[in-house]
Amino acid sequence: MATGIARAAAAFYPQNVTVHLSEHVSEYADLLGGGQFSAYKDVQWTGARRYVSRTYRAAFVLECRAVQMAREVWGLTNISVNIPFCQTPAEAAEVLKILREHGVSSAEKMQVYVDCDVPTNLILVEEYSKMFDGLRIGAYAPETQSLAKEINPVVREMINKEGGVACP
C-alpha cells in the first residue's frame, strides 16, 4: 500500500496528492485475509465508523502507517488524506486522534480533509471545518444519503424539527 501511495505522489510531486482512505469493505474482498471484512455491506460500517471500531482499527492503523511511510521514508510531503463517510463530530475526533497517534495528521504540511457524505456534515459544517483542513463534496452528495437518517440521530432530529416525516 505504501508503495502504491508513493508512486502516485511521486508522479505528481510537488503538487498535492490526496489519498482517499478506504471507504467500503468491498475494497478488501479480493485481498489476502480481506474476505473477513467483505461480509459487512452495511452503510453503518463504512468509512470513519469502521476506522474507530475494534474490529477494523488494526487495518486502519496499517493505512496510517502506509501514508506515514510514503511521506517520511520517501520524502513525499505532498501527500494529504481524505476521510470518507464521517457521520458525527465525535467520530471525526476519534479518527483524528488515531491519525495523530500514528504520525499522520501531525506530519509537516499534512492536510486532512473530510468528505461531506451525509447531511450531518453540512448541518454541522462549522464544527467540521474547525476539525479538518477542508471539506469535500464528492460523487455521493449529502442529499443522496438522506436515507441514512435511521442510523444518524442528528439527521433524525433535524427531520423531526423541520416538520418532515417523523423518525422513530
Side-chain angles (χ1 to χ4, degrees):
M1 183 181 287
T3 304
I5 292 170
R7 282 184 186 158
F12 293 97
Y13 193 84
Q15 290 97 348
N16 188 47
V17 171
T18 303
V19 174
H20 187 86
L21 298 175
S22 67
E23 182 168 2
H24 302 290
V25 292
S26 58
E27 293 170 353
Y28 291 104
D30 295 330
L31 297 176
L32 184 63
Q36 66 182 338
F37 297 107
S38 63
Y40 299 97
K41 305 262 187 237
D42 191 336
V43 72
Q44 293 185 40
W45 211 69
T46 189
R49 169 104 7 121
R50 197 167 42 128
Y51 303 160
V52 300
S53 74
R54 285 185 305 183
T55 308
Y56 185 81
R57 190 180 186 129
F60 181 58
V61 168
L62 291 176
E63 289 186 62
C64 293
R65 289 182 184 164
V67 169
Q68 183 186 31
M69 181 180 223
R71 286 182 58 91
E72 292 181 9
V73 174
W74 293 303
L76 297 164
T77 57
N78 60 324
I79 298 171
S80 296
V81 295
N82 186 69
I83 308 298
F85 214 82
C86 189
Q87 297 184 51
T88 67
E91 225 171 57
E94 184 65 22
V95 169
L96 291 168
K97 178 182 171 198
I98 296 167
L99 290 172
R100 277 191 308 276
E101 287 171 354
H102 297 282
V104 176
S105 68
S106 59
E108 183 183 341
K109 298 181 186 176
M110 173 58 112
Q111 294 184 321
V112 180
Y113 303 102
V114 66
D115 274 350
C116 288
D117 291 322
V118 294
T120 311
N121 301 137
L122 296 178
I123 296 164
L124 302 174
V125 69
E126 289 182 31
E127 193 167 343
Y128 281 101
S129 65
K130 291 174 186 172
M131 301 172 85
F132 293 95
D133 296 303
L135 292 87
R136 180 182 160 273
I137 298 177
Y140 298 111
E143 62 269 20
T144 65
Q145 296 296 329
S146 62
L147 293 176
K149 67 184 178 289
E150 63 270 9
I151 63 166
N152 192 316
V154 174
V155 175
R156 182 183 310 122
E157 182 180 331
M158 179 199 71
I159 290 172
N160 287 335
K161 281 183 179 177
E162 296 299 321
V165 177
C167 299

